[in-house]
Amino acid sequence: MATLGNAGSTREVLQRYRFNFQKKYGQNFLISAHVLEEIVNAAEIGRKDLVLEIGPGIGTMTQYLCEAAGHVIAVEIDANLIPILSDTLGAYDNVEIINKDILKVDLDQLVKRWGKPLKVVANLPYYITTPIIMGLFESRVPMESITVMVQKEVADRMQVGPGTKDYGALSLAVQYYAKPELVTTVPPECFMPRPKVGSAVIRLVRYEKPPVEVKDEALLFRLIRASFNQRRKTLANGLANYGAFSLTKEELAACIEELGVPAGVRGEALTLGQFAALSNIVYEKLKKL
């Protein structure tokens, strides 16, 4: 099997297997060897690494990963792609193909079996990017980094700071768990079929421990979600309207005042550190109820 990563060999594989793209899975296969090399290099994969690839498609990036890594676990939801993967990856003995929804895979079991942390690499379907990334972080599975191709606007949201239009709950959640680094932007012509929007590769290097200290992590994320649920409202109104804190609007306003920011502040103005401090203030207030 010839190396993939270009339009000709990709088209040949698709025609041979009479493969039809499934819109519901958001399938866009990479046809740029240069971009594939950039992704693998950015992920800093070596012979001792255990790599999890989400959505290998026809195995284009998987071939590059198998050349670089110790072992690759490729999780593909589309059963129609499994025979193709068996063909395109037949020359490699360091890859395991799993036909399953990544959100239903027991990653902890995989890590325990191999006894080493994961490096995640993926060309993610746009429609499910956030659930996959948050699912990976929240799983608490030992993980060094996540290097993924995503919609450019999502990559922008992951790395921006307060006061920008892209700043929101995703920015704060990602930055709580990892340090985001933009690797490169990727135009639509690097895919088959071409998506309607630009893409970007972003690397998320997992923190050993979060950069802020909170007394209740779930409370922190409830506060963040509430703050951006109605982002045009003031922080006090947004939290009160969310109705998940067992505190009155006045009590919530007092917590914000204790934080030392103006009463009319909006959530989009607060840093991760300020959200962490606010969650600790609310936590102490709730303890007294």
Side-chain angles (χ1 to χ4, degrees):
M1 169 54 62
T3 301
L4 300 168
N6 60 72
S9 56
T10 299
R11 198 174 288 112
E12 189 266 319
V13 168
L14 297 176
Q15 287 171 350
R16 184 178 349 137
Y17 282 89
R18 296 176 183 174
F19 177 78
N20 294 311
F21 288 96
Q22 298 263 12
K23 202 168 184 181
K24 66 177 177 178
Y25 293 139
Q27 292 166 330
N28 300 91
F29 300 155
L30 263 169
I31 53 170
S32 166
H34 173 68
V35 173
L36 287 157
E37 285 163 8
E38 276 199 275
I39 294 169
V40 175
N41 290 339
E44 296 180 357
I45 293 164
R47 276 288 163 210
K48 293 182 178 177
D49 289 327
L50 174 64
V51 174
L52 170 67
E53 185 188 7
I54 302 165
I58 62 171
T60 306
M61 186 153 62
T62 325
Q63 291 185 339
Y64 285 75
L65 293 170
C66 287
E67 293 286 347
H71 191 79
V72 179
I73 300 163
V75 179
E76 175 54 60
I77 192 171
D78 187 353
N80 293 322
L81 286 166
I82 302 306
I84 302 178
L85 286 166
S86 297
D87 181 7
T88 60
L89 303 176
Y92 299 99
D93 60 3
N94 63 337
V95 62
E96 173 184 352
I97 302 162
I98 298 174
N99 180 205
K100 210 165 184 181
D101 179 346
I102 187 61
L103 298 176
K104 295 175 182 172
V105 174
D106 186 345
L107 297 179
D108 212 37
Q109 203 60 39
L110 293 177
V111 170
K112 279 177 183 164
R113 174 149 56 93
W114 287 94
K116 55 176 73 176
L118 294 170
K119 283 188 176 179
V120 179
V121 183
N123 174 16
L124 289 180
Y126 295 157
Y127 76 99
I128 201 170
T129 295
T130 301
I132 287 175
I133 287 177
M134 294 316 300
L136 288 168
F137 283 139
E138 289 165 5
S139 71
R140 305 289 179 189
V141 170
M143 193 181 311
E144 287 184 35
S145 62
I146 302 173
T147 306
V148 286
M149 173 87 71
V150 296
Q151 194 172 336
K152 183 171 184 308
E153 103 181 24
V154 174
D156 290 340
R157 290 212 305 269
M158 287 182 190
Q159 56 175 339
V160 293
T164 58
K165 65 178 178 63
D166 291 324
Y167 185 65
L170 179 63
S171 322
L172 287 153
V174 165
Q175 291 167 33
Y176 177 81
Y177 289 110
K179 181 184 176 186
E181 303 167 353
L182 185 68
V183 175
T184 188
T185 55
V186 184
E189 57 265 28
C190 290
F191 298 90
M192 183 185 292
R194 289 187 181 195
K196 291 176 182 170
V197 295
S199 305
V201 178
I202 192 162
R203 183 172 185 240
L204 310 173
V205 182
R206 183 74 185 262
Y207 289 125
E208 281 188 30
K209 65 175 191 174
V212 293
E213 285 188 26
V214 289
K215 294 172 180 176
D216 184 334
E217 202 173 271
L219 175 61
L220 168 67
F221 286 112
R222 269 209 316 280
L223 275 167
I224 288 170
R225 279 194 297 274
S227 303
F228 291 96
N229 196 42
Q230 298 172 297
R231 67 184 296 151
R232 292 189 176 183
K233 291 194 177 294
T234 64
L235 182 57
N237 284 336
L239 298 182
N241 292 349
Y242 198 70
F245 301 104
S246 309
L247 296 174
T248 65
K249 183 180 172 182
E250 290 69 33
E251 287 170 325
L252 287 164
C255 292
I256 295 166
E257 200 173 299
E258 193 178 328
L259 181 65
V261 295
V265 74
R266 288 179 179 171
E268 63 192 32
L270 266 60
T271 63
L272 176 59
Q274 287 173 313
F275 271 112
L278 180 60
S279 79
N280 290 337
I281 292 166
V282 172
Y283 176 84
E284 293 299 336
K285 186 84 74 177
L286 290 170
K287 258 176 54 176
K288 292 172 184 172
L289 292 181

